[in-house]
């Protein structure tokens, strides 16, 4: 690909994830091939602040309905996930995504197509 | 299910807003007295939320031009330009705007909203890629819904975020069009346009800049951020509006592309709506002359911006990131913002209140827009009133910080 010479560098940077854990922030290097579990975990981390009551966030959670997140915050979360996994998810594709599972599958599909 | 059931959540939020005793979205100006004053609720009120940056709505020469045009050509065109034809003045206005920017082509629209909506949604189609700033205006988002192109958002004012998205497109076919704004309408901040343009050049992307809030305000001759950052020639399309600095209504797009005029028979928001009435065209043409002839208005505007921004900052208010004709005052939440807004109105000062989802990052704001016609006394008075209310509501600390803080900023 005619990417700039820094392409590899950028790719590595995009894989640096800050994982917060009780005020202790660790920087992890995500493996080149993100597993489905990694993706789900990362999505859940973004969604945690919007959890409604005690109901856990699972693969079948409908993001816009089962959580307290609004449409703008969903789009902002997608932007963060795009950078974490180095993919771009067009807005019309986002509009078709309802559940955590679907979002994870979309990210994995786009990564596979790169 | 009733037609309005889907709006239940919004209805509830709106009811909350109205319990404060005034509805910020249905303010009635009983009489407008000048660019800076109106009668609201029976009392004279200072206007600091009207986007009237140069105060030209009451400029005698613009008013006379509009009145004369009505006498000469009537009140309206009663149809679109492709159906009813153009008046000579439509064409002259387009030539004058094109000349102002030093671009070859210009198309005038009936509103700025329609200019963005129509131009952006038509420039890109199936297989193309539209990249927009996350804090884009509603007209840009609505254009995204109308196009078949793939739309991707990048982080607000972040050229590296745009770059990673352009890089990811790799060698995929299709044009790339990047949408930026000169001054963002909620927080008054400007795009780092030079850096954005560098990224766009590197990846062969077209650039469209919306100068709605920056026309007149930025650049040595008032052409906006494209001029002040020295990239006028690198911006393929510049969109703007007549409804702010130029004191009327309407929108435009200028470009050097030789095939630009094909948009006249493809952009639906141009084709299927009535064209601007003669009075508006005449006042806008005159307002553009005023902008060119009176650069001191730009200086007055920025002097006033400094007075308001620095004055509020010295009192401890949290503001947008930089000086701008829009001064956004951050408040902790929606209800406090509405309460603050209502207290301001009761004290005789009108500003805008902006709450989610109309604001970026879910912030609640009092949105003030500064006018060249504001007097320093009016703005000092406003700072005093806001400081008093801010202290009462616990938004800023009670102890007067005053000059010491002002000096250290």
């Amino acid at each position: 690909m005619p990417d700039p010479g820094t392409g590899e560098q950028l790719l590595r940077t995009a894989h640096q994830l800050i994982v917060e854990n009780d005020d202790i922030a660790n920087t992890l290097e995500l493996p080149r091939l993100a597993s489905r579990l990694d993706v789900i975990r990362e999505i859940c981390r973004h969604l945690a602040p919007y959890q409604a009551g005690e109901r856990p966030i699972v693969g079948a959670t409908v993001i816009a309905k089962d959580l307290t997140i609004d449409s703008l915050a969903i789009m902002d979360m997608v932007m963060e996930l795009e950078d974490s996994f180095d993919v771009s998810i067009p807005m019309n594709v986002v509009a078709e995504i309802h559940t955590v599972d679907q979002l994870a599958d979309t990210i994995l599909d786009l990564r596979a197509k790169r | 299910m009733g037609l309005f059931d889907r709006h239940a959540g919004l209805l509830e939020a709106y009811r909350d807003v109205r319990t404060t005793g005034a509805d910020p979205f249905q303010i009635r100006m009983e009489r407008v007295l000048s660019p800076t004053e109106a009668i609201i609720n029976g009392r004279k009120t200072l206007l600091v939320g009207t986007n009237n940056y140069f105060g030209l709505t009451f400029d005698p020469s613009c008013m006379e031009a509009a009145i004369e045009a009505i006498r000469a050509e009537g009140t309206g065109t009663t149809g679109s330009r492709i159906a009813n034809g153009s008046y000579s003045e439509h064409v002259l206005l387009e030539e004058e705007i094109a000349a102002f920017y030093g671009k070859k082509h210009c198309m005038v629209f009936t509103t700025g909203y329609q200019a963005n909506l129509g131009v952006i949604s038509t420039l890109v189609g199936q297989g193309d890629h539209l990249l927009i700033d996350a804090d884009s205006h509603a007209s840009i988002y609505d254009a995204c819904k109308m196009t078949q192109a793939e739309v991707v958002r990048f982080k607000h004012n972040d050229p590296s975020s745009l770059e990673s998205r352009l890089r990811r497109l790799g060698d995929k076919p299709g044009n790339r069009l990047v949408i930026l704004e000169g001054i963002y309408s909620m927080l008054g901040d400007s795009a780092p346009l030079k850096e954005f343009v560098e990224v766009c050049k590197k990846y062969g992307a077209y650039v469209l800049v919306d100068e709605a809030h920056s026309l007149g305000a930025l650049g040595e001759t008032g052409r906006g951020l494209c001029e002040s950052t020295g990239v006028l020639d690198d911006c393929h399309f510049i969109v703007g509006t007549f409804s702010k600095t130029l004191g009327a209504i309407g929108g435009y797009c200028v470009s050097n592309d030789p095939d630009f005029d094909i948009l006249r028979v493809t952009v639906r928001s141009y084709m299927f709506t009535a064209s601007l009435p003669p009075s508006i065209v005449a006042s806008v043409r005159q307002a553009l002359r005023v902008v060119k002839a009176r650069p001191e208005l730009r200086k007055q505007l920025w002097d006033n911006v400094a007075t308001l921004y620095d004055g509020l900052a010295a009192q401890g208010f949290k503001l947008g990131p930089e000086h701008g004709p829009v001064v956004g005052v951050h408040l902790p939440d929606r209800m406090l913002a509405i309460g603050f807004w209502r207290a301001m109105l009761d004290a005789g000062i009108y500003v805008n209140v902006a709450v989610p989802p109309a604001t970026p990052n879910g912030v609640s704001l009092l949105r003030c827009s500064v006018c060249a016609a504001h007097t320093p006394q009016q703005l000092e008075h406003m700072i005093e009133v806001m400081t008093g209310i801010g202290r009462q509501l616990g938004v800023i600390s009670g102890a007067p910080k005053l000059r010491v803080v002002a000096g250290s900023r």
Side-chain angles (χ1 to χ4, degrees):
Chain A
M1 278 222 303
D3 264 0
T6 54
E8 190 59 27
Q9 183 70 32
L10 285 168
L11 211 66
R12 198 170 295 138
T13 310
H15 283 70
Q16 303 253 312
L17 297 178
I18 306 291
V19 176
E20 284 182 1
N21 186 2
D22 291 336
D23 297 328
I24 303 164
N26 303 313
T27 303
L28 295 182
E29 180 99 346
L30 205 73
R32 266 194 92 80
L33 288 168
S35 75
R36 190 160 195 287
L37 193 63
D38 293 328
V39 177
I40 296 252
R41 201 176 285 151
E42 183 64 6
I43 295 170
C44 289
R45 192 177 70 81
H46 280 286
L47 291 176
Y50 305 101
Q51 195 172 346
E54 293 299 302
R55 204 149 52 133
I57 301 172
V58 296
T61 298
V62 179
I63 298 167
K65 218 168 117 194
D66 298 341
L67 304 171
T68 61
I69 190 167
D70 65 34
S71 57
L72 189 62
I74 292 176
M75 289 203 294
D76 288 344
M77 172 188 71
V78 166
M79 212 156 50
E80 295 292 339
L81 291 169
E82 286 179 331
D83 290 334
S84 297
F85 296 103
D86 201 31
V87 293
S88 293
I89 314 175
M91 276 169 64
N92 58 322
V93 174
V94 175
E96 299 296 315
I97 293 171
H98 302 292
T99 65
V100 170
D101 273 337
Q102 288 169 347
L103 180 53
D105 290 340
T106 303
I107 290 169
L108 289 165
D109 281 355
L110 287 167
R111 278 183 66 87
K113 277 186 206 151
R114 282 187 316 179
Chain B
M1 183 176 154
L3 284 174
F4 292 91
D5 290 358
R6 76 174 76 246
H7 303 299
L10 192 57
L11 278 167
E12 201 177 319
Y14 198 16
R15 218 174 352 253
D16 269 359
V17 168
R18 283 182 294 192
T19 54
T20 60
D23 183 341
F25 309 117
Q26 295 204 37
I27 274 294
R28 180 161 162 181
M29 306 225 173
E30 284 134 29
R31 200 150 58 86
V32 178
L33 305 171
S34 73
T36 62
E37 288 180 326
I39 307 286
I40 300 176
N41 298 331
R43 64 175 293 177
K44 197 191 260 189
T45 303
L46 176 62
L47 302 177
V48 193
T50 59
N51 306 321
N52 196 354
Y53 301 124
F54 276 21
L56 294 185
T57 48
F58 280 80
D59 179 273
S61 69
C62 296
M63 288 163 78
E64 278 313 311
I67 292 163
E68 214 165 287
I70 288 182
R71 293 225 168 85
E73 301 197 287
T75 52
T77 64
T78 64
S80 82
R81 289 176 59 186
I82 56 160
N84 291 28
S86 296
Y87 289 25
S88 293
E89 287 75 10
H90 288 130
V91 180
L92 290 170
L93 173 59
E94 288 178 340
E95 288 171 3
E96 285 159 10
I97 296 170
F100 179 59
Y101 282 101
K103 300 273 186 192
K104 290 193 180 77
H105 307 280
C106 173
M107 252 172 94
V108 160
F109 293 78
T110 305
T111 68
Y113 173 88
Q114 287 166 322
N116 265 344
L117 189 73
V119 170
I120 295 169
S121 65
T122 309
L123 282 175
V124 283
Q126 187 111 47
D128 291 331
H129 304 276
L130 184 57
L131 298 104
I132 68 167
D133 185 285
D135 289 2
S136 289
H137 186 259
S139 55
I140 295 167
Y141 274 101
D142 289 357
C144 293
K145 287 185 188 167
M146 285 171 57
T147 176
Q148 301 292 309
E150 286 196 344
V151 184
V152 173
R153 297 163 88 222
F154 54 88
K155 288 183 184 166
H156 175 55
N157 275 356
D158 185 346
S160 70
S161 179
L162 170 65
E163 171 150 21
S164 57
R165 278 149 184 80
L166 284 168
R167 173 183 52 78
R168 281 177 207 144
L169 287 173
D171 49 9
K172 270 194 189 176
N175 294 306
R176 284 94 166 114
L177 176 65
V178 174
I179 312 293
L180 303 162
E181 292 180 45
I183 291 177
Y184 284 83
S185 66
M186 286 295 149
L187 293 170
D189 50 335
S190 287
L193 190 55
K194 214 175 167 61
E195 292 79 356
F196 270 127
V197 164
E198 286 308 314
V199 171
C200 291
K201 274 186 181 169
K202 183 171 162 188
Y203 291 89
Y206 291 95
V207 184
L208 181 149
V209 182
D210 178 0
E211 300 269 19
H213 292 269
S214 37
L215 169 64
L218 294 177
E220 204 179 327
T221 62
R223 288 180 283 183
L225 187 66
C226 295
E227 182 181 24
S228 65
T229 56
V231 295
L232 202 55
D233 295 337
D234 299 312
C235 296
H236 305 87
F237 304 95
I238 297 168
V239 173
T241 175
F242 305 145
S243 64
K244 296 175 171 66
T245 296
L246 300 182
I249 189 169
Y252 61 87
C253 179
V254 296
S255 172
N256 271 337
D257 195 295
D259 294 324
F260 184 73
D261 274 336
I262 195 66
L263 294 180
R264 291 186 197 275
V265 288
T266 47
V267 172
R268 298 168 68 84
S269 66
Y270 175 88
M271 297 162 69
F272 298 106
T273 195
S275 60
L276 286 172
S279 54
I280 300 293
V281 174
S283 80
V284 168
R285 289 181 66 198
Q286 179 56 26
L288 197 58
R289 283 183 209 116
V290 173
V291 166
K292 286 188 264 192
R294 296 184 57 199
E296 67 271 20
L297 290 172
R298 183 163 34 260
K299 186 179 179 305
Q300 276 170 31
L301 172 66
W302 285 100
D303 287 350
N304 285 345
V305 167
T307 300
L308 185 65
Y309 188 101
D310 296 348
L312 292 175
Q315 296 297 343
F317 283 104
K318 192 181 166 211
L319 308 175
E322 57 182 305
H323 278 193
V326 175
V327 178
V329 182
H330 285 264
L331 292 170
D333 62 62
R334 180 197 309 254
M335 288 314 278
L336 197 57
I338 290 161
F340 203 130
W341 171 85
R342 170 71 206 275
M344 294 272 290
L345 190 64
D346 285 346
I349 300 172
Y350 173 77
V351 296
N352 311 129
V353 61
V355 292
T359 50
N361 305 316
V363 299
S364 293
L365 296 171
L366 286 183
R367 178 187 177 277
C368 315
S369 55
V370 181
C371 178
H374 282 134
T375 64
Q377 293 74 26
Q378 284 176 323
L379 296 172
E380 295 294 349
H381 171 67
M382 168 161 169
I383 294 163
E384 213 172 279
V385 169
M386 278 191 83
T387 303
I389 298 170
R391 284 189 192 143
Q392 279 171 25
L393 295 179
V395 173
I396 51 174
S397 77
K401 295 185 178 177
L402 299 176
R403 312 291 168 208
V404 185
V405 175
S408 70
R409 287 213 176 206

